[in-house]
């Protein structure tokens, strides 16, 4: 199963973000088939430290949860500020997923 | 374990006022239904709606949905449960929904017993809970301080199944509940009748967003959960729509930090051993859900504090030199506004001026990884939050003038730096709030913070 590197955005069926409460963003990456899901899950490309670097948060603030039954990987990170705070610019948290699209999957 | 016949629960819409098709609703009623439920709220739209006591759906849309549910429920003797009434579930939201129920009952000649369950929390109760060590943060936020409580505009607690069960046991035909776990709307009646709590909570969690688990996704619509002793089925209300195994399995991802362990008042829903099966093209069977009671019963607290009055200003920039130098320009304007504020006798510490530059990093801020030269035009959205409307408007007027006329290197557009799309340019946005309470509170009695009022409607 060795393939040329591909962008996560080209491999995933869904890449989305949303609030999980007022203090967290949760990002879901979902795949159309099991083989692609397993390739990404097992590649290590979505490990907590990679996500932490990408979003500028600390490693231990990131949760990455593979969800085999739905061929999905969930990533949860803290918000920079609570939803709707004066410095917030994404009250629903629906546009925080884009950096994931460019992750290269080996 | 019970030997009762399967219990059929309807989630009419993901949100009261987001709508559902009458074709789906009639199809569900024709098939028989035991409970009609609908979630009425969310904190997703941010702190404003809880603070202001207003709904975030239109009155017209909410009344359309509610009238259909009440008519069918009351005429059919089917309990109707509305959770998180009015959006935030605070006292004004509950009162708004209650008044709408009265209005619909009068218009349609309906008479019934209604339970109104309150969830807004008095500051005294919260202070006592803090002193007793019963309150702790829910996520990355500080401990709840008594000074924070004193500054809150409104705090609600999120009820579990117990207040809803008490309302139904008291003979309520219609339950208008304040802030309420979405899943509890659907888990309450089954658990009271002895059905497995793991399956009941999981069913509630799956159907509470209603049309979100249905294909094709052509807007909100009814979803039915059918609960048996050892499994539940999920199906769309509409005869031409379907539920797929993947969509049902994926739904516990939605807006939750984990798809496996979902915290509810009084315990945790554990889906790790679940199986999801497509039984026919429209229906999915779920089994294996487990509910683990927590050592102590906790409810979530959500609260907001008023920040002041907000004024918003929107404009575009097309000048290439200004686009290239926008950061220094905004910093210079900010300085200039602070000076102008002092001249008006306003302490610059007393307001916030936020300038978002769309086209650069307005969406992600410091987390934006793309740092490339900007495009040919950018958008500026500025807002001022100040203690009162007069000050807010005054500071925004100064900020508008500064952005429009402040000099920058190589400036040639000396008659104005901005394309302002609207007149008036400065838009009052009302009171601004922030979430200041996002905690959990431990209870001895799950009913205690949720007083239930039984009222007779329409007679």
């Amino acid at each position: 199963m060795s393939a040329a590197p591909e962008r996560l955005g080209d491999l995933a069926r869904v890449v989305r973000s949303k609030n999980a409460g007022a203090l967290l963003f949760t990002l879901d990456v979902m795949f159309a088939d099991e083989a692609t899901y397993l390739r990404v899950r097992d590649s290590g490309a979505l490990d907590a430290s990679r996500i932490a670097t990408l979003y500028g948060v600390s490693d231990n603030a990131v949760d990455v949860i593979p969800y085999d039954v739905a061929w999905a990987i969930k990533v949860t990170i803290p918000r920079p500020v609570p939803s709707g705070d004066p410095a917030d610019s994404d009250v629903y948290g629906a546009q925080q997923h884009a950096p994931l699209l460019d992750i290269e999957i080996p | 374990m019970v030997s009762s016949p399967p219990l059929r629960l309807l989630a009419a819409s993901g949100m009261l006022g987001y709508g559902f098709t009458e074709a789906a609703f009639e199809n569900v009623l024709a098939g028989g239904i035991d409970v009609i439920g609908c979630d009425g709220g969310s904190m997703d739209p941010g702190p404003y709606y809880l603070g202001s006591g207003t709904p975030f759906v239109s009155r017209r849309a909410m009344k359309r949905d509610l009238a259909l549910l009440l008519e069918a429920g009351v005429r059919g003797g089917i309990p109707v449960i509305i959770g998180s009434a009015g959006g935030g579930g605070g006292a004004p939201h509950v009162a708004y929904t209650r008044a709408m129920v009265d209005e619909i009952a009068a218009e349609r000649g309906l008479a019934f017993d209604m339970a109104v369950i309150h969830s807004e929390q008095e500051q005294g109760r919260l202070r006592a809970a803090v002193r007793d060590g019963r309150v702790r943060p829910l996520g990355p936020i500080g401990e709840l301080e008594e000074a924070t409580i004193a500054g809150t505009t409104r705090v609600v607690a999120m009820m579990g199944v117990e207040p809803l069960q008490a309302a139904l046991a008291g003979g309520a035909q219609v339950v208008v509940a304040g802030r309420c776990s979405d899943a509890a709307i659907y888990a309450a009646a089954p658990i009271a009748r002895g059905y497995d709590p793991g399956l009941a909570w999981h069913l509630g969690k799956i159907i509470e967003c209603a049309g979100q688990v249905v294909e094709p996704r052509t807007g909100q619509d009814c979803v039915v959960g059918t609960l048996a002793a050892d499994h539940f089925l999920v199906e769309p209300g509409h005869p031409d729509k379907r539920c797929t195994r993947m969509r049902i399995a994926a739904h516990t991802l939605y807006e939750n930090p984990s798809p496996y362990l979902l915290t509810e008042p009084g315990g945790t829903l554990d889906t790790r051993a679940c199986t999801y099966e497509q039984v026919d093209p429209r229906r999915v069977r779920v089994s294996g859900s487990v509910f683990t009671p927590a050592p102590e019963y906790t409810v979530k607290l959500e609260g907001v504090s008023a920040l002041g009055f907000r004024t918003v200003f929107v404009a575009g920039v097309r000048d290439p030199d200004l686009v290239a130098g926008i950061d220094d320009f905004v910093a210079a304007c900010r300085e200039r506004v602070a000076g102008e504020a002092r001249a008006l006798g306003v302490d610059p510490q007393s307001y916030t001026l936020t300038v978002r530059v769309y086209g650069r990093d307005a969406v992600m801020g410091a987390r934006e990884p793309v740092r490339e030269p900007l495009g040919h035009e950018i958008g500026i959205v500025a807002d001022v939050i100040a203690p009162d409307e007069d000050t807010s408007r005054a500071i925004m007027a100064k900020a508008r003038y500064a952005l429009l006329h402040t000099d920058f290197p190589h400036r040639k557009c000396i008659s104005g730096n901005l394309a302002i799309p609207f007149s008036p340019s400065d838009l009052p946005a009302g009171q601004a709030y922030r979430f200041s309470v996002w905690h959990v509170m431990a209870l001895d009695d799950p009913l205690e913070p949720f007083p239930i009022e039984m009222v007779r409607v329409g007679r």
Side-chain angles (χ1 to χ4, degrees):
Chain A
M1 284 276 255
S2 77
E6 285 178 87
R7 287 173 70 247
L8 183 61
D10 294 328
L11 292 172
R13 178 173 67 81
V14 170
V15 181
R16 68 183 184 189
S17 69
K18 193 77 193 280
N19 292 341
L23 308 177
L24 303 173
F25 288 139
T26 191
L27 306 113
D28 297 328
V29 183
M30 301 160 79
F31 300 90
D33 64 88
E34 188 171 28
T36 310
Y37 162 67
L38 293 174
R39 174 180 161 193
V40 174
R41 186 195 71 178
D42 297 338
S43 70
L46 262 69
D47 71 2
S49 69
R50 282 286 300 275
I51 301 291
T53 306
L54 195 58
Y55 281 91
V57 299
S58 70
D59 282 22
N60 57 19
V62 177
D63 266 333
V64 178
I65 305 173
Y67 186 47
D68 291 356
V69 72
W71 304 335
I73 299 169
K74 173 174 275 301
V75 176
T76 301
I77 60 174
R79 283 175 139 275
V81 294
S83 168
D85 248 36
D88 187 31
S89 49
D90 190 356
V91 170
Y92 288 68
Q95 283 292 305
Q96 302 301 314
H97 62 290
L100 297 180
L101 299 170
D102 292 324
I103 292 178
E104 288 214 334
I105 307 298
Chain B
M1 208 56 60
V2 282
S3 55
S4 318
L7 206 55
R8 280 167 55 84
L9 302 116
L10 165 65
S13 178
M15 187 75 59
L16 191 70
Y18 281 7
F20 50 86
T21 66
E22 290 193 40
F25 191 51
E26 283 161 17
N27 185 45
V28 170
L29 294 175
I33 200 79
D34 297 297
V35 176
I36 296 173
C38 197
D39 177 24
S42 169
M43 286 299 148
D44 246 12
Y48 171 80
Y49 300 95
L50 180 59
S52 64
T54 53
F56 52 85
V57 298
S58 76
R59 175 178 167 78
R60 180 180 291 205
M62 185 172 156
K63 189 174 173 187
R64 179 269 183 186
D65 288 0
L66 187 56
L68 287 171
L69 303 186
L70 290 178
E71 176 102 44
V74 172
R75 302 224 186 271
I78 308 159
V80 177
I81 304 175
I82 306 299
S84 301
H93 305 92
V94 170
Y96 179 93
T97 309
R98 178 176 175 171
M100 189 178 281
V101 170
D102 287 337
E103 187 179 303
I104 292 166
E107 285 170 6
R108 299 193 172 224
L110 302 173
F112 51 89
D113 293 321
M114 173 164 72
V116 178
I117 312 179
H118 299 276
S119 62
E120 186 164 329
Q121 303 299 304
E122 288 172 7
Q123 293 190 359
R125 179 201 300 280
L126 298 171
R127 275 195 300 275
V130 166
R131 284 183 196 143
D132 292 350
R134 290 169 173 268
V135 178
R136 58 177 189 270
L138 179 57
I141 191 170
E143 295 289 339
L144 186 56
E145 307 285 344
E146 291 194 31
T148 305
I149 295 170
T152 55
T153 305
R154 195 180 320 287
V155 180
V156 291
M158 182 186 281
M159 70 185 78
V161 292
E162 293 81 358
L164 302 174
Q165 292 168 337
L168 293 171
Q173 164 71 64
V174 173
V175 181
V176 169
R179 190 65 172 132
C180 178
S181 152
D182 300 346
I185 298 167
Y186 308 100
I191 293 172
R193 296 196 203 178
Y195 286 82
D196 179 77
L199 292 170
W201 277 110
H202 195 184
L203 180 155
K205 203 80 202 172
I206 296 289
I207 71 171
E208 57 99 348
C209 287
Q212 284 221 7
V213 295
V214 166
E215 290 177 9
R217 294 182 75 162
T218 50
Q220 263 300 341
D221 213 348
C222 303
V223 170
V224 175
T226 304
L227 181 59
D230 62 348
H231 71 276
F232 64 90
L233 296 171
V234 187
E235 67 188 299
H238 199 289
D240 299 334
K241 298 182 181 179
R242 60 194 182 277
C243 288
T244 65
R245 180 191 165 279
M246 284 307 272
R247 179 143 286 170
I248 298 300
H251 192 67
T252 49
L253 290 162
Y254 188 66
E255 293 178 343
N256 293 310
S258 162
Y260 288 121
L261 297 169
L262 302 121
T263 307
E264 289 291 345
T268 301
L269 167 63
D270 184 341
T271 71
R272 284 176 294 188
C274 282
T275 56
Y276 302 83
E277 302 160 72
Q278 191 82 47
V279 295
D280 62 38
R282 297 181 70 248
R283 296 186 299 166
V284 175
R285 176 191 159 108
V286 182
S287 57
S289 329
V290 175
F291 186 76
T292 310
E296 62 177 0
Y297 192 101
T298 58
V299 290
K300 184 181 176 189
L301 297 174
E302 298 164 336
V304 298
S305 303
L307 292 168
F309 193 92
R310 174 179 272 142
T311 309
V312 177
F313 172 78
V314 179
V317 174
R318 183 62 179 78
D319 185 272
D321 288 312
L322 182 49
V323 169
I326 192 68
D327 288 340
D328 290 344
F329 172 78
V330 169
C333 289
R334 194 180 282 289
E335 272 302 299
R336 186 170 168 181
V337 173
E340 300 276 4
R342 283 187 205 98
L344 294 176
V346 176
D347 177 359
Q349 302 294 319
S350 71
Y351 67 85
T352 59
L353 167 61
T354 306
V355 180
R356 298 175 171 82
V357 177
Y358 285 87
R360 186 189 55 192
D361 62 355
V363 174
M364 296 196 66
R367 290 181 177 177
E368 176 57 64
V370 177
R371 294 292 170 187
E372 287 169 5
L374 303 181
H376 67 282
E377 70 176 25
I378 56 178
I380 288 179
V381 177
D383 77 287
V384 171
I385 301 173
D388 58 81
E389 178 168 2
D390 185 58
T391 309
S392 181
R393 285 175 176 268
I395 299 303
M396 181 50 87
K398 290 296 185 186
R400 185 222 317 141
Y401 187 85
L403 291 163
L404 191 58
H405 292 304
T406 295
D407 210 2
F408 57 87
H410 315 297
R411 183 182 187 214
K412 297 184 180 67
C413 54
I414 58 171
S415 51
N417 302 330
L418 305 173
I420 298 174
F422 308 126
S423 173
S425 56
D426 307 352
L427 310 171
Q431 276 292 320
Y433 300 87
R434 77 176 349 147
F435 284 118
S436 51
V437 181
W438 202 266
H439 292 76
V440 295
M441 176 170 70
L443 303 176
D444 292 327
D445 175 1
L447 295 173
E448 196 248 329
F450 306 107
I452 303 173
E453 206 182 331
M454 295 296 294
V455 295
R456 298 191 149 204
V457 178
R459 42 176 106 111

